[in-house]
Amino acid sequence: DWGAIIGTALALRHPEAVAGLHLTHLPGRPAPTDGPPLADEERRYLDRLQAMRPEESGYVAIQGSRPQTLAYAQNDSPVGLLAWMLEKFWAWSDHGDDVWSRIDRDRLLTNVMIYWLTGTALSASRIYHERSHPTEPLATGPVTVPTAYARFPAEPWAAPAVLLERTYHLVRVTEHHAGGHFPALETPEAFAGDVAS
């Protein structure tokens, strides 16, 4: 997900150095206020984001304001860190009621263990704090770099393509039939094929 945010920032600041951008969701950019009125599909998406914000953005609030306090607990407890991360895999992946049917248990545990063994929970969450406290203005404006959009059905931020067209030079949209916020783990073949094409 940070790839979408960082990739968009690079495309805005240095379009001459970016050959193309690949997105799996719309990064946290406000909808433009100019241009044609929002279509019903766009309005429904923005309303859904607003409705899910109270339940799905607590991590942004704590990591954006007090990441170090949380990191002490995460570095102290591998079970606590696993619970913190597994909750997002559960909430944002396409699995029915069995997350292990979609995400390999060993791969997910390895992911969490890398953070715990290296003590990098804090450095990983600092990006939320830095985004909440920018030292320079965030890059804005239309993205002129050719952009491909792979839309996965269980991705919470899977915006309608028409919304991306307002701010990105969208050249390809692929509607996938399975997958969520973690397509490289959930549907690796479909994700890799989309990036490669």
Side-chain angles (χ1 to χ4, degrees):
D1 54 358
W2 279 100
I5 294 166
I6 294 166
T8 294
L10 287 171
L12 285 167
R13 290 184 186 268
H14 306 286
E16 74 287 350
V18 179
L21 181 62
H22 185 274
L23 301 174
T24 58
H25 69 283
L26 180 62
R29 301 183 76 202
T33 54
D34 56 346
L38 292 175
D40 289 343
E41 183 182 22
E42 294 172 291
R43 192 173 316 288
R44 281 192 304 274
Y45 168 74
L46 295 172
D47 289 346
R48 185 174 58 78
L49 284 187
Q50 190 67 26
M52 81 177 196
R53 186 166 284 128
E55 292 295 320
E56 291 297 333
S57 64
Y59 74 100
V60 174
I62 189 67
Q63 289 177 303
S65 61
R66 302 290 189 270
Q68 194 150 342
T69 305
L70 174 64
Y72 285 121
Q74 291 176 327
N75 281 333
D76 191 50
S77 170
V79 173
L81 180 60
L82 175 62
W84 181 263
M85 296 177 77
L86 183 58
E87 188 276 327
K88 292 303 169 213
F89 283 98
W90 179 269
W92 298 346
S93 62
D94 185 11
H95 60 76
D97 283 333
D98 181 10
V99 72
W100 307 124
S101 70
R102 184 63 71 183
I103 298 173
D104 180 73
R105 183 184 307 263
D106 288 337
R107 187 162 293 178
L108 187 130
L109 291 173
T110 299
N111 182 315
V112 174
M113 287 302 293
I114 289 170
Y115 286 95
W116 189 70
L117 292 173
T118 59
T120 53
L122 175 59
S123 61
S125 66
R126 281 289 304 182
I127 197 166
Y128 292 93
H129 187 271
E130 291 164 7
R131 185 137 194 251
S132 298
H133 302 83
T135 56
E136 59 184 74
L138 296 174
T140 60
V143 174
T144 58
V145 169
T147 303
Y149 178 35
R151 191 166 188 250
F152 292 88
E155 165 62 69
W157 295 273
V162 65
L163 188 57
L164 272 81
E165 288 172 340
R166 291 177 177 271
T167 53
Y168 289 86
H169 175 52
L170 207 55
V171 297
R172 190 185 82 223
V173 176
T174 309
E175 295 283 346
H176 290 274
H177 301 292
H181 190 67
F182 310 99
L185 290 174
E186 296 175 67
T187 55
E189 297 83 11
F191 175 74
D194 203 281
V195 171
S197 61

